[in-house]
Amino acid sequence: MPGRKGLILAAVLASTGFLGTGCASSTTGGLAVLPRVSGLEKTTITAAISPVLDSAGFFVAMREGLFAQEGLTVNYTPAHGDTVISGAVKGQYDVIATNYVSYIQAQVTRAANLRVIAEASLLQPGGRVIMTMPGSKVRTLKELTGHVLGVNADANVGFLLAASVLTENGIKLSVAGRKNAVGFPSFSMPYPDAAPALVSGKVAAAVVSEPFVTQAEESYGAVPLADLDSGATEQFPMEGYATTASWARANPRTMRAFLIALEAGQQIADTDRQAVESAFVGLPQGAGHIDRVTAAVMALNVYPLGVDAVRLQRVADVMQQFGFLKKRFDISGLLG
């Protein structure tokens, strides 16, 4: 009987249609072996990937040696903030992984010409939450009015999720910080900085992602105020893998090989929690490493296969709803 990975990889190949021209598949000892793409344009890829749970499929693929099986050496760089997109434009990174809100904004403003090549994650309960400190005067979303919520008040998914949940609860938002609305910090607030900002009192509450949610609970006793997996943003598409359009055109076989390995990693991440835990525990400190205690209890997202245009159109539509976009954006232009 085929082993677990054999069954997973076979399912991936069947569902994504990778058994095509230029590929060959086989089995060894009952285990499926990934098809190899011939004639790679390059065998070393620089990948700037957000070091959060959304990227689990990538990290599982690295740990399981799936990229190496495709003849690829993937040099991983932790991606923080929207600078990853400008890095791709400058040719510093071949493949990047960050949120769709930033991709769409870059496309609309023509800061970049990107192509989303694979989905990374869909939000699940506990994946993104608004947190406060124990003993805080802010104990409900309504009580956030007149206080500062720690989240980057620009075109990013954390702000969009918060805007959606707050608006659905009848709460006003104001970047200017009006007394009758929820304000936002004037400084950068990446997820790793959320807990320290809460502890220091720089913000009354903060949008936090896993694994930082679990770490904030364990280290500081931070408590959830609201789960952002609700209403218009329930099971929201969080992150995707992208390249520049020019890189995709110049490296079609390399991209295909990367996707074969990545999709297998996605399928394993979506069905084997232990594989996800091991992948993050094995990362270096400062590059996504999670200790074993945190890994055992952190909330995971869904890790889909392929690219679903209907699902990703939700992101652009919610962006328009909350004023991120002046008019409707057709997501197909980003998918190529």
Side-chain angles (χ1 to χ4, degrees):
M1 290 292 290
R4 174 187 62 84
K5 293 177 185 174
L7 292 171
I8 288 174
L9 300 185
V12 170
L13 301 177
S15 66
T16 56
F18 279 128
L19 295 178
T21 304
C23 301
S25 65
S26 62
T27 59
T28 302
L31 296 178
V33 177
L34 289 178
R36 287 290 294 269
V37 180
S38 60
L40 301 182
E41 296 85 8
K42 58 189 304 183
T43 57
T44 299
I45 291 177
T46 301
I49 308 297
S50 184
V52 294
L53 269 297
D54 297 311
S55 310
F58 172 85
F59 294 121
V60 167
M62 279 209 311
R63 181 173 177 83
E64 299 284 349
L66 303 180
F67 294 121
Q69 193 177 146
E70 282 301 303
L72 293 174
T73 298
V74 177
N75 294 326
Y76 157 60
T77 297
H80 296 289
D82 293 346
T83 56
V84 65
I85 295 177
S86 61
V89 172
K90 295 173 183 176
Q92 295 173 329
Y93 312 126
D94 299 318
V95 178
I96 59 177
T98 189
N99 68 87
Y100 298 107
V101 176
S102 296
Y103 289 150
I104 293 170
Q105 196 68 22
Q107 203 79 357
V108 169
T109 60
R110 300 186 180 181
N113 186 15
L114 303 171
R115 293 295 179 268
V116 172
I117 59 175
E119 292 189 50
S121 64
L122 305 177
L123 187 61
Q124 292 291 287
R128 292 288 196 290
V129 300
I130 295 177
M131 305 191 80
T132 61
M133 293 299 294
S136 170
K137 294 180 180 179
V138 177
R139 292 159 296 182
T140 66
L141 283 179
K142 291 287 185 182
E143 291 176 337
L144 260 179
T145 300
H147 295 280
V148 174
L149 172 63
V151 63
N152 286 333
D154 55 15
N156 71 63
V157 70
F159 180 75
L160 183 64
L161 293 172
S164 175
V165 170
L166 290 172
T167 301
E168 288 176 354
N169 282 272
I171 302 168
K172 296 180 180 179
L173 299 80
S174 173
V175 175
R178 294 197 306 266
K179 291 184 179 181
N180 63 342
V182 174
F184 302 95
S186 58
F187 49 87
S188 178
M189 266 288 303
Y191 292 122
D193 294 346
L198 278 173
V199 173
S200 67
K202 293 175 70 175
V203 296
V207 174
V208 189
S209 71
E210 280 285 32
F212 306 111
V213 172
T214 300
Q215 291 172 347
E217 290 173 333
E218 293 174 341
S219 300
Y220 306 110
V223 294
L225 187 65
D227 197 313
L228 299 180
D229 176 51
S230 66
T233 54
E234 186 176 357
Q235 293 196 339
F236 202 65
M238 294 300 299
E239 181 183 282
Y241 299 92
T243 70
T244 61
S246 59
W247 191 92
R249 286 194 301 268
N251 301 279
R253 290 178 176 272
T254 299
M255 183 174 71
R256 188 174 178 84
F258 177 86
L259 286 174
I260 290 173
L262 175 65
E263 295 284 73
Q266 286 283 107
Q267 183 73 356
I268 294 172
D270 202 48
T271 55
D272 188 342
R273 181 186 178 93
Q274 185 175 358
V276 175
E277 293 179 15
S278 296
F280 280 92
V281 169
L283 289 173
Q285 291 286 348
H289 171 78
I290 299 173
D291 65 87
R292 293 188 181 278
V293 174
T294 300
V297 296
M298 62 189 180
L300 301 186
N301 286 332
V302 168
Y303 305 103
L305 298 178
V307 177
D308 187 324
V310 174
R311 182 162 56 212
L312 297 189
Q313 185 63 48
R314 284 183 62 200
V315 182
D317 291 346
V318 174
M319 287 176 69
Q320 183 185 7
Q321 177 184 352
F322 289 99
F324 278 55
L325 300 173
K326 294 181 179 179
K327 60 181 181 180
R328 188 176 189 271
F329 176 81
D330 186 348
I331 200 69
S332 63
L334 187 58
L335 306 184

